[in-house]
Amino acid sequence: MADEVKLPADSFEPLDKSKHLDSEKIAAPNLTFMQDAWRRLKKNKSAIVAMIILIIFFVLAFGSAFFSPHNPNAVNPQFANLPPKWPGININGINGTLVQAGSRVNAYQAAGAGAGVHYWLGTDYLGRDMLSRILFGTRISLTVAIVATAVDLLIGVTFGLFSGWKGGWVDNFMQRVIEIIMSIPTLVVVVLLILILKPGMMSITLAIAFSSWTTMARLIRAQTLELKEQEYVLAAKTLGESSIKVAFKHLLPNLSSIIIIQTMFTIPSAIFFEAFLSFVGIGISAPQASLGTLLNDGQKNFQFLPYQMWYPAIVLSLIMIAFNIFADGLRDAFDPQTKE
């Protein structure tokens, strides 16, 4: 007869509370969708840097109404076309000197400016401070883009949500309306609005809003067609909830990621389009400045005074790049299929 195996006396005793099984441990903290998206976004260093750059530009642009170094529209002909001058720094390019006839001269002394007169980014052909005008122009460009995007958001989301929710012939009719609007060139819309309204922020904002909401509407409509067949939406309808309540309580929260991402892509497009219109002379009118009008003024003297075009071009490029990088980061953060 085989020897009996003797087990230790504590073999079948319960584990001590301090000895937890690894399989019972929670792998990750319980996070909401927005908290998880923020966690993903923080891991994207380029998106965070882009977000910081955008915050800086917004603070400087909209805060310049309180701390602008000069009046952006004040004309000083005696100080026209002065180069940048940073107090206490003697480096060519930012010390107030220009090369004339093969030699470097102090442009501020030649203009009769006092020792305390300095312009951080120089002046334009009318003696207006470039830094103040760039801050003012950035504020105008951002305002036009944000207002146009807000209108785009209101019309596009409402139109797309209603079209996708109703379906059938209503959806077909509304999609044909979108196709007709998309077939009209935006430049034609702008010219027609300028004939009705005077050139300025109102006509540009309406033109951008009129032509850009269709993309948002088609995206929202496509997602609504998918979401309205989900179990929780069908259950809400079965319980007798109204369509408006279903839209605000169930559809919009699930559409928030698409709305935010598309909004972040719409803003830089609106900024660029406004700059283009102002550059060709059918946008913001004088004496107001936008990034487009500053580029238009700067290109006239680009061969001799390149800084007048370089600075607004750098600002416009940084804003466009930062918005696109930040939008890419938001898309990755909100995408549940993103692999870490």
Side-chain angles (χ1 to χ4, degrees):
M1 184 174 181
D3 295 335
E4 295 182 357
V5 178
K6 294 183 178 180
L7 298 175
D10 60 348
S11 297
F12 298 100
E13 291 182 0
L15 288 174
D16 186 63
K17 291 183 179 181
S18 61
K19 299 177 181 180
H20 297 289
L21 295 175
D22 292 338
S23 60
E24 294 180 354
K25 292 181 179 179
I26 299 176
N30 188 16
L31 301 175
T32 65
F33 175 74
M34 296 302 294
Q35 290 173 335
D36 185 57
W38 172 243
R39 179 183 63 85
R40 290 171 180 267
L41 182 64
K42 287 191 295 185
K43 293 183 178 181
N44 191 333
K45 302 302 181 185
S46 59
I48 293 297
V49 172
M51 182 181 69
I52 294 173
I53 292 174
L54 291 175
I55 292 174
I56 292 173
F57 272 116
F58 270 89
V59 171
L60 291 177
F62 290 97
S64 62
F66 306 100
F67 53 75
S68 180
H70 298 276
N71 185 340
N73 297 324
V75 177
N76 299 295
Q78 68 274 23
F79 297 149
N81 295 325
L82 290 180
K85 181 181 180 180
W86 296 12
I89 299 179
N90 190 20
I91 300 177
N92 291 338
I94 56 175
N95 60 357
T97 60
L98 286 174
V99 176
Q100 294 181 354
S103 61
R104 186 168 292 274
V105 298
N106 191 321
Y108 284 75
Q109 290 181 358
V117 177
H118 62 274
Y119 295 95
W120 291 88
L121 299 183
T123 60
D124 64 2
Y125 67 102
L126 292 177
R128 296 172 294 190
D129 179 38
M130 284 293 297
L131 176 59
S132 301
R133 288 185 65 76
I134 288 175
L135 292 175
F136 182 81
T138 303
R139 183 165 77 247
I140 293 293
S141 296
L142 289 176
T143 301
V144 171
I146 291 173
V147 173
T149 303
V151 177
D152 166 26
L153 191 66
L154 179 63
I155 299 177
V157 172
T158 304
F159 195 95
L161 197 61
F162 186 81
S163 177
W165 180 258
K166 285 297 183 180
W169 70 268
V170 175
D171 180 36
N172 289 331
F173 174 77
M174 297 179 74
Q175 293 309 302
R176 301 297 82 76
V177 172
I178 289 180
E179 291 173 359
I180 293 172
I181 294 175
M182 293 182 67
S183 65
I184 303 174
T186 307
L187 195 58
V188 174
V189 176
V190 174
V191 173
L192 291 176
L193 287 175
I194 289 176
L195 293 176
I196 301 173
L197 306 172
K198 64 179 182 179
M201 291 182 59
M202 180 63 70
S203 58
I204 293 180
T205 302
L206 291 177
I208 296 175
F210 178 81
S211 59
S212 62
W213 65 268
T214 54
T215 302
M216 176 73 78
R218 302 189 87 170
L219 288 173
I220 297 301
R221 177 248 183 189
Q223 290 296 315
T224 303
L225 288 174
E226 179 181 351
L227 290 175
K228 74 176 186 178
E229 301 299 332
Q230 299 295 321
E231 289 81 359
Y232 58 89
V233 176
L234 297 176
K237 292 169 62 178
T238 303
L239 293 174
E241 291 189 356
S242 63
S243 298
I244 296 178
K245 189 174 182 179
V246 172
F248 280 95
K249 186 177 180 180
H250 300 288
L251 295 181
L252 282 180
N254 289 282
L255 293 170
S256 60
S257 60
I258 299 294
I259 294 172
I260 293 173
I261 294 169
Q262 182 59 28
T263 299
M264 296 307 298
F265 279 112
T266 302
I267 292 176
S269 300
I271 292 174
F272 181 80
F273 187 66
E274 182 279 326
F276 165 75
L277 294 177
S278 299
F279 181 80
V280 299
I282 58 175
I284 302 297
S285 56
Q288 288 184 324
S290 73
L291 294 177
T293 58
L294 292 174
L295 289 171
N296 187 22
D297 293 339
Q299 59 90 21
K300 299 173 183 176
N301 297 322
F302 182 73
Q303 184 176 359
F304 305 102
L305 302 168
Y307 68 88
Q308 294 184 359
M309 183 174 178
W310 275 120
Y311 291 136
I314 290 172
V315 170
L316 178 61
S317 299
L318 284 176
I319 292 176
M320 295 285 295
I321 293 171
F323 262 115
N324 281 282
I325 293 177
F326 186 51
D328 286 334
L330 286 177
R331 181 181 58 193
D332 296 338
F334 283 116
D335 185 5
Q337 303 300 322
T338 301
K339 302 297 182 182
E340 299 182 358

